[in-house]
Amino acid sequence: MSDIDRLRLIRTPGIGPITWRQLIARFGDAARALEALPDLARRGGGKAPTPPDPRTIEREMKQVAGLGARYLFLGDPDYPPLLAELENAPPAIIVRGDGALARRPTIAIVGARNASAAACRFARELAHDLAREGAAVVSGLARGIDTAAHMGAGPATIAVIAGGIDVAYPPENAALQERIATEALLIAEMPPGTEPRARHFPHRNRIIAGIAAATVVVEAAPKSGSLITARLAGEAGREVMAVPGSPLDPRAQGCNLLIREGAILVQNAADVLEQVRPIDPRSVRAPGVSFGSAPPADADDAARCAVSGLLGPVPVAVDELVRQSGLVPAVVQIVLLELELAGRLERHAGARVSLI
């Protein structure tokens, strides 16, 4: 299918990764999905979102190429295989550097931005030891633990950033970001020129957790972004590990909490590799990513009423909607898709949905 059509669908307001995947599954390609948007939104009782003009997408693609970057689409052979396993995997990522790194056994190392000197040293040495054993180390290029991990791993590091591929954040890591893009691998989901905002970082975190076989938290306060990454890793069925710290240090509370809740205690690279050695990214399906199959028929008005009647402002699991409505999952998903394209439905973590 056309890269322009795929990007137009991705960049259409209100169409997230799950909706994009469902539209491709239903219509077979992005061009037909774009044509179907008005009718789907009408059925959902709203106005269809407006896809960007093809010329806008062409300008973006030219800009990406001019930066020495390229797109990887979900289903492409070079798309990171473990990331492709996520239900909400990015339909497209923009990369600079050595894409083969993402096919190595990959470990995420994350932690506090205001990390202690001892924690930064540990993260740097852990990353170095993992890289020496043939693993790639992924992190988010933030201050503190992320920076230490990238520096320790050297050319075996993957940086996932919250903004555009051409935007350095934080500014003091501009040289490090460029070095990673040249010698290792830099990944962005947002279009070029996008300044990172608070809402972008959870999306970045899911890529960090999704691309890795395991996530190691070195230092983190409770309710920190690092713990969000650890939670996303656990939800994706990946190993969650943590480095213990002093109970007197608030920066260690998050890690100690993770260990108390069942995370694997990590003291060195051997502890990490012992858990992930059996995982080979090459064994994970990636080139043949399945987008599902189109349901046998559209939802009728009775099905729409049944599903809509079960929805409200409180998020509810999609599985619960299937159970209570008595409809087949494919029909429930069609109704939810129509409502989302009409701007009436919001998706939440854990496959839950609510009315807006």
Side-chain angles (χ1 to χ4, degrees):
M1 68 183 84
S2 162
D3 287 352
I4 292 178
D5 288 337
R6 286 196 282 188
L7 280 171
R8 287 186 71 207
L9 191 60
I10 293 166
R11 303 288 186 239
T12 299
I15 294 184
I18 294 175
T19 304
W20 188 90
R21 200 164 185 155
Q22 290 176 346
L23 286 167
I24 298 298
R26 179 161 177 75
F27 297 102
D29 64 41
R32 284 195 285 267
L34 288 165
E35 293 174 358
L37 291 181
D39 188 50
L40 289 170
R42 179 188 57 76
R43 296 179 194 177
K47 183 180 178 182
T50 303
D53 186 273
R55 290 171 294 185
T56 301
I57 298 301
E58 289 172 357
R59 285 194 295 270
E60 178 189 322
M61 296 176 71
K62 185 176 181 180
Q63 186 178 6
V64 167
L67 292 166
R70 64 192 185 279
Y71 295 93
L72 292 180
F73 291 94
L74 186 62
D76 286 352
D78 293 335
Y79 191 94
L82 288 179
L83 183 61
E85 289 292 289
L86 297 186
E87 180 188 31
N88 62 344
I93 54 177
I94 300 171
V95 302
R96 282 184 65 196
D98 182 8
L101 275 176
R103 300 193 68 81
R104 288 193 196 181
T106 302
I107 310 299
I109 298 180
V110 297
R113 289 177 170 82
N114 64 334
S116 65
C120 287
R121 178 181 175 181
F122 181 89
R124 185 172 62 250
E125 293 178 351
L126 177 65
H128 176 270
D129 293 345
L130 289 170
R132 186 178 57 193
E133 293 297 319
V137 173
V138 61
S139 197
L141 206 65
R143 302 178 182 94
I145 296 301
D146 289 20
T147 296
H150 290 307
M151 295 180 69
T157 195
I158 302 169
V160 184
I161 57 177
I165 199 81
D166 57 337
V167 178
Y169 184 85
E172 61 264 33
N173 274 355
L176 177 60
Q177 180 169 318
E178 182 60 27
R179 191 167 82 230
I180 290 172
T182 304
E183 301 175 0
L185 180 61
L186 182 68
I187 297 177
E189 183 179 9
M190 297 295 117
T194 302
E195 294 289 339
R197 298 286 182 259
R199 67 180 183 276
H200 296 148
F201 287 93
H203 297 290
R204 179 205 63 174
N205 293 347
R206 90 182 189 292
I207 297 177
I208 294 171
I211 209 170
T215 292
V216 181
V217 184
V218 177
E219 230 178 32
K223 299 182 179 179
S224 65
S226 299
L227 294 196
I228 293 175
T229 305
R231 175 180 59 79
L232 293 170
E235 290 176 353
R238 314 294 165 78
E239 297 288 356
V240 177
M241 308 179 183
V243 178
S246 168
L248 300 178
D249 188 344
R251 292 170 295 193
Q253 291 179 3
C255 290
N256 293 342
L257 176 63
L258 286 174
I259 293 169
R260 189 175 71 183
E261 293 177 345
I264 297 165
L265 188 151
V266 168
Q267 300 181 91
N268 50 49
D271 292 339
V272 178
L273 295 171
E274 180 182 357
Q275 300 297 323
V276 302
R277 283 292 190 196
I279 298 179
D280 182 355
R282 291 170 298 181
S283 68
V284 181
R285 74 177 194 272
V289 170
S290 172
F291 294 104
S293 56
D298 284 326
D300 56 22
D301 288 340
R304 292 186 185 95
C305 289
V307 175
S308 298
L310 294 170
L311 288 167
V314 178
V316 61
V318 175
D319 287 347
E320 185 65 16
L321 295 176
V322 172
R323 189 184 69 81
Q324 292 198 33
S325 69
L327 300 167
V328 298
V331 172
V332 172
Q333 291 288 3
I334 293 171
V335 176
L336 297 179
L337 179 62
E338 293 172 352
L339 290 170
E340 185 174 18
L341 291 174
R344 298 177 57 201
L345 185 85
E346 182 176 2
R347 294 188 184 270
H348 305 269
R352 297 175 303 145
V353 294
S354 67
L355 286 180
I356 297 174

